[in-house]
Amino acid sequence: KDFAKSLRRLRDTFTEEVAADPMSLYMPAHHVAVEFHKSNAFIRYFRGGNRISKTESGCYENYAVTTNQFPYRPTCALPASTFIVGSNFAQYGEAVFYKKYIEGEPGNPLSPVFPEGGKWLHHYNEKKHLITIACPGCAAAGKARQCGHPKSTIQLFSDLEGPTVLAGGQYALGQFDEHIDEEFFSEAITRLETVPFGNLMVTHTPLEGKGAWEHQRLTLLFEEGSPKNLVVGTVKNP
């Protein structure tokens, strides 16, 4: 009887809770995504064809790190700031970032990651492409909009403005989504290495071939392995 009552309560609130927090349903699409999430590499390179969950895996990481729900490896204390640099910024901002994080994508039950009026969204600055996320206490209390505590952020930067857009920031996580100019790489590392457990993920479809800097630098880095490419304060995965 007690089990039946608990199940009834869960079923009665399930639709409402998922609508407020769609990413709560996330499960890695395959073993590669699991390995990507679990990796303690300072620079993680998720390379493959379209529609294999590269960007969605990145969405989950940004969500989980900024809401303090990441189960796979240590992350910094809140508030946490993350950044995304998207290729073809004018198109990416509207077609990918806004739809995945704020508006929602047709056929994607995990979107929007932060719906308007949902559990976590405090504010979205459309001009700056900046998502401000409520603290866990206010989110749990249904007061994300009223949160007056330190808040996490996720921000999309233009790949057309050069790496100085990252200057001055300190980030717990960064993402290059698709082919980003190599000049961003060093600046991104500088902005991540001072934050505990900070790291960079590169989600990339290698359309540029073996001449691309991602292949040249990141494949070599992978082959060199630990301890060179390891998040400070962690040990190599078993």
Side-chain angles (χ1 to χ4, degrees), residues 39-80:
S39 172
N40 286 337
F42 181 62
I43 301 165
R44 291 174 293 140
Y45 185 20
F46 195 162
R47 181 176 71 190
N50 291 324
R51 306 192 67 81
I52 63 167
S53 84
K54 301 189 303 298
T55 298
E56 201 66 44
S57 297
C59 285
Y60 173 70
E61 295 235 353
N62 283 305
Y63 161 85
V65 168
T66 55
T67 61
N68 196 31
Q69 299 183 90
F70 199 72
Y72 296 102
R73 63 174 192 278
T75 59
C76 76
L78 296 184

Side-chain angles (χ1 to χ4, degrees), residues 160-224:
L160 300 177
E161 297 178 15
T164 56
V165 295
L166 300 175
Q170 290 185 309
Y171 299 97
L173 181 65
Q175 180 183 8
F176 290 174
D177 200 13
E178 297 302 352
H179 181 63
I180 304 300
D181 198 292
E182 187 178 4
E183 65 177 353
F184 279 86
F185 187 67
S186 295
E187 186 66 34
I189 298 307
T190 300
R191 299 302 150 203
L192 292 161
E193 60 188 1
T194 58
V195 176
F197 308 115
N199 61 98
L200 175 68
M201 49 184 175
V202 179
T203 49
H204 177 227
T205 302
L207 301 176
E208 303 80 19
K210 293 184 178 181
W213 73 265
E214 292 94 342
H215 177 79
Q216 295 286 327
R217 297 185 64 168
L218 303 185
T219 302
L220 177 62
L221 192 61
F222 168 76
E223 291 172 349
E224 291 178 348

Side-chain angles (χ1 to χ4, degrees), residues 19-33:
D21 189 11
M23 193 56 83
S24 63
L25 293 179
Y26 177 83
M27 293 183 65
H30 37 63
H31 74 92
V32 176

